[in-house]
Amino acid sequence: MRHTLSVLLQNEAGALSRVTDLFSTRGFNIESLNVAPTKDYAVSRLTLVTNGSDETLAQIMKQLSKLVDVVDLRNMTGRDHIIRELALFKLRLTTGTRAQLDEMVAEFGGSILAEHEGHFTIEITSSGPRIDGFLESAGKIAETDALVRSGAMAVSRGAPIGWRG
């Protein structure tokens, strides 16, 4: 099962390394990792996506909570939350037209950031599966020259309980 974790972490040298080392030494895979400072610059929010059973997740949560750098830890899976990622695509039309591309980008809520010599840079902010859907649809009319994804970012809906930053 896919799990999304939100971790408040001391914004100090080596803190992220200790988190990733924990995963590495125990043989857990990190599918996606996104880290940025919060409004409190002493603390960063790390959003991490991993796969595993509920037992594996319980072990991960227990080990993470022992790290001195971890301020707070939440499993976002099963909670009412919003998860998004940003994707930038560089596409070159092959069988489609600009009008088809415009329609497809609009359907997925994206925007065309630049066009240069038949190459289009497109931005989509959505859920991972929806970004995958855009990639599949775009593949029918264009060649994907480059794809850059931010990784998952998650936040719970409503008022935060016990969260800093």
Side-chain angles (χ1 to χ4, degrees):
M1 178 178 190
R2 192 169 194 228
H3 301 280
T4 303
L5 306 179
S6 186
V7 182
L8 289 181
L9 190 65
Q10 292 294 328
N11 194 4
E12 296 177 3
L16 178 60
S17 178
R18 285 183 278 283
V19 170
T20 57
D21 285 350
L22 181 146
F23 275 76
S24 175
T25 58
R26 286 163 180 79
F28 302 139
N29 186 43
I30 297 173
E31 187 176 304
S32 170
L33 181 69
N34 193 312
V35 185
T38 64
K39 65 181 180 183
D40 175 358
Y41 287 102
V43 178
S44 291
R45 182 181 308 275
L46 179 151
T47 306
L48 185 143
V49 178
T50 188
N51 275 304
S53 66
D54 289 339
E55 294 79 24
T56 300
L57 179 68
Q59 185 179 8
I60 289 170
M61 298 283 287
K62 182 177 179 182
Q63 296 299 317
L64 280 173
S65 66
K66 290 180 182 178
L67 294 178
V68 68
D69 302 304
V70 173
V71 175
D72 202 354
L73 171 64
R74 303 288 166 109
N75 179 5
M76 302 300 281
T77 309
R79 291 177 180 247
D80 191 11
H81 68 283
I82 298 168
I83 187 165
R84 292 288 183 267
E85 70 178 86
L86 167 68
L88 299 174
F89 296 84
K90 187 167 298 242
L91 302 178
R92 182 175 30 87
L93 288 175
T94 54
T95 61
T97 65
R98 169 67 191 257
Q100 286 176 297
L101 182 62
D102 287 343
E103 184 179 315
M104 186 180 304
V105 169
E107 176 187 336
F108 282 87
S111 55
I112 297 175
L113 302 176
E115 177 185 359
H116 182 71
E117 297 177 358
H119 289 85
F120 297 85
T121 304
I122 296 163
E123 172 187 57
I124 305 280
T125 302
S126 192
S127 66
R130 188 138 169 89
I131 289 172
D132 294 339
F134 177 82
L135 181 60
E136 183 179 327
S137 294
K140 296 174 183 168
I141 65 165
E143 183 73 29
T144 303
D145 291 335
L147 169 60
V148 181
R149 292 173 84 153
S150 67
M153 294 177 282
V155 66
S156 61
R157 292 183 192 263
I161 301 171
W163 278 96
R164 282 182 37 190

